[in-house]
Coordinates of all heavy atoms in Angstrom, one line a residue:
M1 N 0.8 -1.2 0.0 CA 0.0 0.0 0.0 C 0.9 1.2 0.0 O 1.8 1.4 0.8 CB -0.9 0.0 1.2 CG -1.8 1.2 1.3 SD -2.7 1.4 2.8 CE -3.9 0.0 2.7
K2 N 0.6 2.2 -0.9 CA 1.4 3.4 -1.0 C 0.7 4.5 -0.1 O -0.5 4.6 -0.1 CB 1.4 3.9 -2.4 CG 2.3 5.1 -2.6 CD 2.3 5.5 -4.1 CE 3.3 6.5 -4.4 NZ 3.0 7.9 -4.2
K3 N 1.5 5.2 0.6 CA 1.0 6.3 1.4 C 1.1 7.6 0.6 O 2.0 7.8 -0.2 CB 1.8 6.4 2.7 CG 1.5 5.2 3.7 CD 2.2 5.5 5.0 CE 2.0 4.3 5.9 NZ 2.6 4.5 7.2
I4 N 0.1 8.5 0.9 CA 0.1 9.8 0.2 C -0.2 10.8 1.3 O -1.0 10.6 2.2 CB -0.9 9.8 -0.9 CG1 -0.8 11.1 -1.7 CG2 -2.3 9.5 -0.4 CD1 -1.7 11.2 -3.0
K5 N 0.5 12.0 1.1 CA 0.3 13.1 2.1 C -1.1 13.7 1.8 O -1.6 13.7 0.7 CB 1.3 14.1 1.9 CG 2.7 13.7 2.4 CD 3.7 14.8 2.2 CE 5.1 14.3 2.6 NZ 6.1 15.3 2.4
I6 N -1.7 14.1 2.9 CA -3.1 14.7 2.8 C -3.0 15.9 1.8 O -3.9 16.1 0.9 CB -3.6 15.2 4.1 CG1 -3.7 14.0 5.1 CG2 -4.9 16.0 4.0 CD1 -4.6 12.9 4.6
T7 N -2.0 16.7 1.8 CA -1.9 17.9 0.9 C -1.8 17.4 -0.5 O -2.3 18.1 -1.4 CB -0.7 18.8 1.3 OG1 0.5 17.9 1.3 CG2 -0.9 19.4 2.7
E8 N -1.1 16.3 -0.8 CA -0.9 15.8 -2.1 C -2.3 15.3 -2.6 O -2.6 15.5 -3.8 CB 0.1 14.7 -2.2 CG 1.5 15.2 -2.0 CD 2.6 14.1 -1.9 OE1 2.2 12.9 -1.9 OE2 3.7 14.4 -1.7
L9 N -3.0 14.5 -1.7 CA -4.3 14.0 -2.1 C -5.3 15.1 -2.4 O -6.0 15.1 -3.5 CB -4.9 13.1 -1.0 CG -6.3 12.6 -1.2 CD1 -6.3 11.7 -2.5 CD2 -6.7 11.8 0.0
T10 N -5.3 16.1 -1.6 CA -6.2 17.3 -1.8 C -5.9 18.0 -3.1 O -6.8 18.3 -3.9 CB -6.1 18.3 -0.6 OG1 -6.4 17.6 0.6 CG2 -7.1 19.4 -0.8
A11 N -4.6 18.2 -3.4 CA -4.2 18.8 -4.7 C -4.6 18.0 -5.9 O -5.0 18.5 -6.9 CB -2.7 19.1 -4.6
F12 N -4.4 16.7 -5.7 CA -4.8 15.8 -6.8 C -6.3 15.8 -7.1 O -6.7 15.9 -8.3 CB -4.4 14.3 -6.5 CG -4.8 13.3 -7.5 CD1 -4.1 13.3 -8.7 CD2 -5.8 12.4 -7.2 CE1 -4.5 12.3 -9.7 CE2 -6.1 11.4 -8.2 CZ -5.5 11.4 -9.4
L13 N -7.1 15.8 -6.1 CA -8.6 15.9 -6.3 C -8.9 17.3 -6.9 O -9.8 17.4 -7.7 CB -9.3 15.7 -4.9 CG -9.1 14.4 -4.3 CD1 -9.9 14.3 -3.0 CD2 -9.5 13.2 -5.2
E14 N -8.3 18.3 -6.4 CA -8.5 19.7 -7.0 C -8.2 19.7 -8.5 O -9.0 20.2 -9.3 CB -7.6 20.7 -6.3 CG -8.1 21.1 -4.9 CD -7.2 22.1 -4.3 OE1 -6.6 23.0 -5.0 OE2 -7.1 22.1 -3.0
K15 N -7.1 19.1 -8.9 CA -6.8 19.0 -10.3 C -7.9 18.3 -11.1 O -8.3 18.8 -12.2 CB -5.5 18.3 -10.6 CG -4.3 19.1 -10.3 CD -3.0 18.3 -10.6 CE -1.8 19.1 -10.3 NZ -0.5 18.4 -10.6
I16 N -8.4 17.2 -10.6 CA -9.5 16.5 -11.3 C -10.7 17.4 -11.4 O -11.3 17.4 -12.5 CB -9.8 15.2 -10.5 CG1 -8.7 14.2 -10.6 CG2 -11.1 14.6 -11.0 CD1 -8.8 13.0 -9.7
L17 N -11.1 18.1 -10.3 CA -12.2 18.9 -10.4 C -12.1 20.1 -11.3 O -13.0 20.4 -12.1 CB -12.5 19.4 -8.9 CG -12.9 18.4 -7.9 CD1 -12.8 18.9 -6.5 CD2 -14.3 17.9 -8.3
I18 N -10.9 20.7 -11.4 CA -10.7 21.8 -12.3 C -10.7 21.3 -13.7 O -11.3 22.0 -14.6 CB -9.3 22.5 -12.0 CG1 -9.4 23.2 -10.6 CG2 -8.9 23.4 -13.1 CD1 -8.1 23.7 -10.0
K19 N -10.1 20.1 -14.0 CA -10.2 19.6 -15.3 C -11.6 19.3 -15.8 O -11.9 19.3 -17.0 CB -9.4 18.3 -15.3 CG -9.3 17.6 -16.7 CD -8.4 16.3 -16.6 CE -8.4 15.7 -18.0 NZ -7.7 14.4 -17.9
N20 N -12.5 19.1 -14.8 CA -13.9 18.8 -15.1 C -14.8 20.0 -15.0 O -16.0 19.9 -14.9 CB -14.4 17.6 -14.3 CG -13.9 16.3 -14.8 OD1 -14.5 15.7 -15.7 ND2 -12.8 15.8 -14.2
G21 N -14.2 21.2 -15.0 CA -15.0 22.4 -15.1 C -15.2 23.3 -13.9 O -15.8 24.4 -14.0
L22 N -14.7 22.9 -12.7 CA -14.9 23.7 -11.5 C -13.8 24.8 -11.5 O -12.7 24.6 -12.0 CB -14.8 22.9 -10.2 CG -15.9 22.0 -9.8 CD1 -15.7 21.5 -8.4 CD2 -17.3 22.8 -9.9
T23 N -14.1 25.9 -10.9 CA -13.1 27.0 -10.7 C -12.2 26.5 -9.6 O -12.5 25.6 -8.8 CB -13.8 28.3 -10.2 OG1 -14.4 28.1 -8.9 CG2 -14.8 28.8 -11.2
K24 N -11.0 27.1 -9.5 CA -10.0 26.7 -8.5 C -10.6 26.9 -7.0 O -10.5 26.0 -6.2 CB -8.8 27.5 -8.6 CG -7.7 27.1 -7.7 CD -6.3 27.7 -8.1 CE -5.2 27.3 -7.1 NZ -4.8 25.9 -7.2
P25 N -11.3 28.0 -6.7 CA -11.8 28.1 -5.4 C -12.9 27.1 -5.1 O -12.9 26.5 -4.0 CB -12.5 29.5 -5.4 CG -11.8 30.3 -6.4 CD -11.4 29.3 -7.5
D26 N -13.8 26.8 -6.0 CA -14.8 25.8 -5.8 C -14.1 24.4 -5.7 O -14.6 23.6 -4.9 CB -15.8 25.8 -6.9 CG -16.8 26.9 -6.8 OD1 -16.8 27.6 -5.8 OD2 -17.6 27.1 -7.8
A27 N -13.1 24.1 -6.5 CA -12.4 22.8 -6.4 C -11.8 22.6 -5.1 O -11.8 21.5 -4.5 CB -11.4 22.7 -7.6
K28 N -11.3 23.7 -4.5 CA -10.6 23.6 -3.2 C -11.6 23.2 -2.1 O -11.4 22.4 -1.3 CB -9.9 24.9 -2.9 CG -9.2 25.0 -1.5 CD -8.5 26.3 -1.4 CE -7.9 26.5 0.0 NZ -6.8 25.5 0.3
I29 N -12.8 23.9 -2.2 CA -13.9 23.6 -1.2 C -14.3 22.1 -1.3 O -14.4 21.4 -0.3 CB -15.1 24.5 -1.5 CG1 -14.8 25.9 -1.1 CG2 -16.3 24.0 -0.7 CD1 -15.8 26.9 -1.5
V30 N -14.6 21.6 -2.5 CA -15.0 20.3 -2.7 C -14.0 19.3 -2.3 O -14.3 18.3 -1.6 CB -15.5 20.1 -4.2 CG1 -15.9 18.6 -4.4 CG2 -16.7 21.0 -4.4
A31 N -12.8 19.5 -2.8 CA -11.7 18.5 -2.5 C -11.5 18.4 -0.9 O -11.3 17.3 -0.4 CB -10.4 18.9 -3.2
E32 N -11.4 19.5 -0.3 CA -11.2 19.5 1.2 C -12.4 18.8 1.9 O -12.1 18.1 2.9 CB -11.0 20.9 1.7 CG -9.7 21.5 1.3 CD -9.5 23.0 1.8 OE1 -10.4 23.6 2.4 OE2 -8.4 23.5 1.6
D33 N -13.6 19.0 1.4 CA -14.7 18.4 2.0 C -14.6 16.8 1.9 O -14.9 16.1 2.9 CB -16.0 18.8 1.3 CG -17.3 18.4 2.0 OD1 -17.5 18.8 3.2 OD2 -18.0 17.6 1.4
Y34 N -14.3 16.3 0.8 CA -14.1 14.9 0.6 C -13.0 14.3 1.4 O -13.1 13.2 1.9 CB -14.1 14.5 -0.9 CG -15.5 14.5 -1.5 CD1 -16.0 15.6 -2.0 CD2 -16.3 13.3 -1.5 CE1 -17.3 15.6 -2.6 CE2 -17.5 13.3 -2.0 CZ -18.1 14.5 -2.5 OH -19.3 14.5 -3.0
V35 N -11.9 15.0 1.4 CA -10.7 14.5 2.2 C -11.1 14.5 3.7 O -10.8 13.6 4.4 CB -9.5 15.4 1.9 CG1 -8.3 15.1 2.9 CG2 -9.0 15.2 0.5
T36 N -11.8 15.6 4.1 CA -12.2 15.6 5.5 C -13.1 14.5 5.8 O -13.0 13.8 6.9 CB -12.9 17.0 5.8 OG1 -12.0 18.0 5.6 CG2 -13.4 17.0 7.3
G37 N -14.1 14.2 4.9 CA -15.0 13.0 5.1 C -14.2 11.7 5.3 O -14.5 10.9 6.2
E38 N -13.2 11.5 4.5 CA -12.3 10.4 4.6 C -11.6 10.3 5.9 O -11.6 9.3 6.6 CB -11.3 10.4 3.4 CG -10.4 9.1 3.3 CD -11.2 7.9 2.8 OE1 -12.2 8.1 2.1 OE2 -10.7 6.8 3.0
L39 N -11.0 11.4 6.3 CA -10.2 11.5 7.6 C -11.1 11.3 8.8 O -10.7 10.7 9.8 CB -9.5 12.8 7.7 CG -8.4 13.0 6.7 CD1 -7.8 14.4 6.8 CD2 -7.3 12.0 6.9
D40 N -12.4 11.7 8.7 CA -13.4 11.5 9.8 C -13.9 10.1 9.8 O -14.8 9.8 10.7 CB -14.5 12.5 9.7 CG -14.1 14.0 10.0 OD1 -13.0 14.1 10.6 OD2 -14.8 14.9 9.7
G41 N -13.6 9.3 8.9 CA -14.1 7.9 8.8 C -15.5 7.8 8.2 O -16.2 6.8 8.3
K42 N -15.9 8.9 7.6 CA -17.3 8.9 6.9 C -17.0 8.6 5.4 O -17.0 9.4 4.6 CB -17.9 10.3 7.1 CG -18.2 10.6 8.5 CD -18.7 12.0 8.7 CE -18.9 12.4 10.1 NZ -19.1 13.8 10.4
F43 N -16.8 7.3 5.2 CA -16.4 6.9 3.9 C -17.5 7.1 2.8 O -17.2 7.2 1.6 CB -16.0 5.4 3.9 CG -14.9 5.2 4.9 CD1 -15.1 4.3 6.0 CD2 -13.7 5.8 4.8 CE1 -14.1 4.2 6.9 CE2 -12.7 5.7 5.7 CZ -12.9 4.8 6.8
S44 N -18.8 7.3 3.2 CA -19.8 7.6 2.3 C -19.6 9.1 1.8 O -20.3 9.5 0.8 CB -21.2 7.4 2.9 OG -21.3 8.3 4.0
H45 N -18.8 9.8 2.5 CA -18.5 11.2 2.1 C -17.0 11.4 1.9 O -16.5 12.5 2.0 CB -19.0 12.2 3.1 CG -20.5 12.2 3.1 ND1 -21.3 11.3 3.7 CD2 -21.3 13.1 2.6 CE1 -22.5 11.6 3.6 NE2 -22.6 12.7 2.9
G46 N -16.3 10.3 1.6 CA -14.8 10.3 1.4 C -14.4 10.1 0.0 O -15.1 10.4 -1.0
I47 N -13.2 9.5 -0.1 CA -12.6 9.3 -1.5 C -13.4 8.4 -2.4 O -13.6 8.6 -3.6 CB -11.2 8.7 -1.3 CG1 -10.3 9.7 -0.4 CG2 -10.5 8.5 -2.7 CD1 -10.4 11.1 -0.9
L48 N -14.0 7.3 -1.8 CA -14.9 6.4 -2.7 C -16.0 7.2 -3.2 O -16.4 7.0 -4.4 CB -15.3 5.2 -1.9 CG -14.3 4.1 -1.7 CD1 -14.8 3.0 -0.8 CD2 -13.7 3.6 -3.0
A49 N -16.6 8.1 -2.4 CA -17.8 8.9 -2.9 C -17.3 9.9 -4.0 O -18.1 10.2 -4.9 CB -18.4 9.6 -1.7
F50 N -16.1 10.3 -3.9 CA -15.5 11.3 -4.8 C -15.5 10.7 -6.2 O -15.6 11.4 -7.2 CB -14.1 11.7 -4.4 CG -13.5 12.7 -5.3 CD1 -13.8 14.1 -5.2 CD2 -12.7 12.3 -6.4 CE1 -13.2 15.0 -6.0 CE2 -12.1 13.3 -7.2 CZ -12.4 14.6 -7.1
L51 N -15.3 9.4 -6.3 CA -15.2 8.8 -7.7 C -16.3 9.1 -8.6 O -16.1 9.1 -9.8 CB -15.0 7.3 -7.5 CG -13.7 6.8 -6.7 CD1 -13.7 5.3 -6.6 CD2 -12.5 7.3 -7.4
G52 N -17.5 9.3 -8.1 CA -18.6 9.6 -9.0 C -18.8 11.1 -9.3 O -19.6 11.5 -10.2
I53 N -17.9 11.9 -8.7 CA -18.0 13.4 -8.9 C -17.8 13.8 -10.4 O -18.6 14.6 -10.9 CB -17.1 14.1 -8.0 CG1 -17.5 13.9 -6.5 CG2 -17.1 15.6 -8.3 CD1 -18.9 14.4 -6.2
P54 N -16.8 13.3 -11.1 CA -16.6 13.8 -12.5 C -17.8 13.6 -13.4 O -18.2 14.5 -14.1 CB -15.4 13.0 -13.0 CG -14.6 12.7 -11.7 CD -15.7 12.5 -10.6
S55 N -18.5 12.5 -13.2 CA -19.7 12.3 -14.0 C -20.9 13.3 -13.6 O -21.6 13.7 -14.4 CB -20.2 10.9 -14.0 OG -20.6 10.5 -12.7
Q56 N -21.0 13.6 -12.3 CA -21.9 14.5 -11.8 C -21.7 15.9 -12.3 O -22.6 16.7 -12.6 CB -22.0 14.6 -10.3 CG -22.6 13.4 -9.6 CD -22.5 13.5 -8.1 OE1 -21.6 14.0 -7.6 NE2 -23.5 12.9 -7.5
L57 N -20.4 16.2 -12.5 CA -20.0 17.6 -12.9 C -20.5 17.8 -14.4 O -20.9 19.0 -14.7 CB -18.5 17.8 -12.9 CG -18.0 17.9 -11.4 CD1 -16.5 17.9 -11.5 CD2 -18.5 19.1 -10.8
K58 N -20.6 16.8 -15.2 CA -21.1 17.0 -16.5 C -22.5 17.5 -16.6 O -23.0 18.1 -17.5 CB -20.9 15.7 -17.3 CG -19.5 15.4 -17.6 CD -19.3 14.0 -18.3 CE -17.9 13.7 -18.7 NZ -16.9 13.7 -17.6
V59 N -23.3 17.2 -15.5 CA -24.7 17.6 -15.4 C -24.8 18.9 -14.7 O -25.6 19.7 -15.2 CB -25.5 16.5 -14.6 CG1 -26.9 16.9 -14.4 CG2 -25.4 15.2 -15.3
G60 N -24.0 19.2 -13.7 CA -24.3 20.3 -12.8 C -23.4 21.5 -12.9 O -23.6 22.5 -12.3
V61 N -22.3 21.4 -13.7 CA -21.3 22.5 -13.7 C -22.0 23.8 -14.3 O -22.7 23.7 -15.3 CB -20.1 22.2 -14.5 CG1 -19.3 23.4 -14.9 CG2 -19.2 21.2 -13.8
G62 N -21.8 24.9 -13.6 CA -22.3 26.2 -14.1 C -23.7 26.5 -13.6 O -24.1 27.6 -13.8
K63 N -24.4 25.5 -13.1 CA -25.7 25.8 -12.5 C -25.5 26.3 -11.1 O -24.8 25.8 -10.3 CB -26.5 24.6 -12.5 CG -26.8 24.0 -13.9 CD -27.7 22.8 -13.9 CE -28.0 22.4 -15.3 NZ -28.9 21.2 -15.3
K64 N -26.2 27.4 -10.8 CA -26.1 28.0 -9.5 C -27.3 27.7 -8.6 O -28.4 27.6 -9.1 CB -26.0 29.5 -9.6 CG -24.8 29.9 -10.4 CD -24.1 31.2 -9.9 CE -23.0 31.6 -10.7 NZ -21.7 31.1 -10.3
P65 N -27.1 27.4 -7.4 CA -28.2 27.2 -6.4 C -29.1 28.4 -6.3 O -28.6 29.6 -6.5 CB -27.5 26.9 -5.1 CG -26.1 26.5 -5.4 CD -25.8 27.3 -6.7
K66 N -30.3 28.2 -6.1 CA -31.3 29.3 -6.0 C -32.0 29.2 -4.7 O -32.5 28.1 -4.3 CB -32.3 29.4 -7.1 CG -31.6 29.7 -8.5 CD -32.7 29.7 -9.6 CE -32.0 29.9 -10.9 NZ -32.9 29.9 -12.0
I67 N -32.1 30.3 -3.9 CA -32.9 30.3 -2.7 C -34.4 30.4 -3.1 O -34.8 31.4 -3.8 CB -32.5 31.5 -1.8 CG1 -31.1 31.3 -1.3 CG2 -33.5 31.5 -0.6 CD1 -30.5 32.5 -0.5
V68 N -35.2 29.4 -2.8 CA -36.6 29.4 -3.2 C -37.4 30.1 -2.1 O -38.4 30.8 -2.5 CB -37.1 27.9 -3.3 CG1 -38.5 27.8 -3.6 CG2 -36.2 27.2 -4.4
K69 N -37.1 29.9 -0.9 CA -37.9 30.5 0.2 C -36.9 30.7 1.4 O -36.1 29.8 1.7 CB -39.0 29.5 0.7 CG -39.9 30.1 1.7 CD -41.1 29.1 2.0 CE -42.0 29.7 3.0 NZ -43.1 28.8 3.3
Q70 N -37.0 31.8 2.0 CA -36.1 32.2 3.1 C -36.9 32.9 4.2 O -37.8 33.7 4.0 CB -35.0 33.1 2.6 CG -33.9 33.4 3.6 CD -32.8 34.1 2.9 OE1 -32.8 34.5 1.8 NE2 -31.7 34.4 3.7
S71 N -36.5 32.6 5.5 CA -37.0 33.3 6.6 C -35.9 33.5 7.6 O -34.7 33.1 7.3 CB -38.2 32.5 7.3 OG -37.7 31.4 8.0
A72 N -36.2 34.0 8.8 CA -35.1 34.3 9.7 C -34.4 33.0 10.2 O -33.2 33.0 10.6 CB -35.7 35.0 10.9
G73 N -35.1 31.9 10.2 CA -34.6 30.7 10.7 C -34.2 29.6 9.8 O -33.6 28.6 10.1
H74 N -34.5 29.7 8.5 CA -34.2 28.7 7.5 C -34.3 29.2 6.1 O -34.7 30.3 5.8 CB -35.2 27.5 7.7 CG -36.6 27.8 7.0 ND1 -37.5 28.6 7.6 CD2 -37.1 27.5 5.8 CE1 -38.6 28.7 6.8 NE2 -38.3 28.0 5.7
A75 N -33.7 28.4 5.2 CA -33.8 28.7 3.8 C -34.1 27.4 3.1 O -33.5 26.3 3.4 CB -32.5 29.3 3.3
F76 N -34.9 27.4 2.1 CA -35.2 26.3 1.2 C -34.4 26.6 -0.1 O -34.7 27.6 -0.8 CB -36.6 26.1 0.9 CG -36.9 25.0 -0.1 CD1 -36.7 23.7 0.3 CD2 -37.4 25.3 -1.4 CE1 -37.0 22.6 -0.6 CE2 -37.6 24.2 -2.3 CZ -37.4 22.9 -1.9
I77 N -33.4 25.8 -0.4 CA -32.5 26.0 -1.6 C -32.7 24.9 -2.6 O -32.6 23.8 -2.3 CB -31.1 26.1 -1.1 CG1 -30.9 27.2 -0.1 CG2 -30.1 26.3 -2.3 CD1 -29.6 27.3 0.6
N78 N -32.9 25.3 -3.9 CA -32.8 24.4 -5.0 C -31.4 24.4 -5.4 O -30.8 25.4 -6.0 CB -33.7 24.9 -6.1 CG -33.7 24.0 -7.3 OD1 -32.8 23.2 -7.5 ND2 -34.7 24.2 -8.2
G79 N -30.7 23.3 -5.2 CA -29.3 23.2 -5.6 C -29.0 23.1 -7.0 O -27.8 23.2 -7.4
N80 N -30.0 22.9 -7.9 CA -29.8 22.8 -9.3 C -28.7 21.8 -9.7 O -28.0 22.0 -10.6 CB -29.5 24.1 -9.9 CG -30.8 25.0 -10.0 OD1 -31.9 24.5 -10.3 ND2 -30.6 26.3 -9.8
Q81 N -28.7 20.7 -9.0 CA -27.7 19.6 -9.3 C -26.3 20.0 -9.1 O -25.4 19.3 -9.6 CB -27.9 19.0 -10.7 CG -29.3 18.4 -10.9 CD -29.5 17.8 -12.3 OE1 -28.9 18.3 -13.3 NE2 -30.3 16.8 -12.4
A82 N -26.0 21.1 -8.4 CA -24.7 21.4 -8.1 C -24.2 20.5 -6.9 O -25.0 19.9 -6.3 CB -24.6 22.9 -7.6
L83 N -22.9 20.5 -6.7 CA -22.3 19.6 -5.7 C -22.7 20.1 -4.3 O -22.7 21.4 -4.0 CB -20.8 19.6 -5.8 CG -20.3 19.0 -7.1 CD1 -18.8 19.1 -7.2 CD2 -20.7 17.5 -7.2
G84 N -23.0 19.2 -3.4 CA -23.5 19.6 -2.1 C -22.6 20.5 -1.3 O -23.1 21.5 -0.7
P85 N -21.3 20.3 -1.3 CA -20.4 21.3 -0.5 C -20.5 22.7 -1.1 O -20.4 23.7 -0.3 CB -19.0 20.8 -0.7 CG -19.2 19.3 -1.0 CD -20.5 19.2 -1.8
L86 N -20.8 22.9 -2.3 CA -21.0 24.2 -2.9 C -22.3 24.8 -2.6 O -22.5 26.0 -2.5 CB -20.7 24.2 -4.4 CG -19.3 23.7 -4.8 CD1 -19.1 23.7 -6.3 CD2 -18.2 24.6 -4.2
V87 N -23.3 24.0 -2.6 CA -24.7 24.4 -2.2 C -24.7 24.9 -0.8 O -25.2 25.9 -0.5 CB -25.7 23.3 -2.5 CG1 -27.1 23.8 -2.0 CG2 -25.8 22.9 -4.0
A88 N -24.1 24.1 0.1 CA -24.0 24.4 1.5 C -23.3 25.7 1.7 O -23.6 26.5 2.5 CB -23.4 23.3 2.3

């Protein structure tokens, strides 16, 4: 088994995301979210989950989330198929 530094893994994921249409700032947010999921032991939100992201990007890149309804205590947001970390 080969070991990889967290910073190298994050940078690698960022490159994949940028190659698939995300901006550098958005790629950083998403990559860090998936690496954090992996480190926290939440494998459903870790590296294995990341493997499906490039195909999702083909559907959702460029679409911006829209606030449908908002009040002092909550907001209902239509994510428009954008990635969860970016919608949040």
Side-chain angles (χ1 to χ4, degrees):
M1 179 187 290
K2 184 179 190 278
K3 292 184 179 184
I4 183 170
K5 292 179 181 179
I6 298 302
T7 54
E8 292 173 355
L9 175 61
T10 304
F12 178 70
L13 297 182
E14 285 179 32
K15 281 183 182 180
I16 292 170
L17 293 165
I18 291 167
K19 183 178 178 184
N20 283 277
L22 286 187
T23 64
K24 186 168 178 68
D26 285 352
K28 181 176 176 61
I29 291 168
V30 174
E32 287 178 354
D33 188 66
Y34 280 88
V35 170
T36 299
E38 186 74 21
L39 293 173
D40 287 346
K42 298 176 183 168
F43 304 117
S44 62
H45 290 77
I47 302 308
L48 285 177
F50 181 86
L51 298 176
I53 296 298
S55 62
Q56 287 179 327
L57 289 173
K58 289 176 176 56
V59 175
V61 166
K63 295 183 179 180
K64 300 218 182 265
K66 293 181 182 175
I67 297 174
V68 176
K69 185 176 181 180
Q70 185 173 4
S71 72
H74 77 282
F76 177 70
I77 301 172
N78 179 344
N80 284 322
Q81 298 180 330
L83 297 174
L86 300 178
V87 175

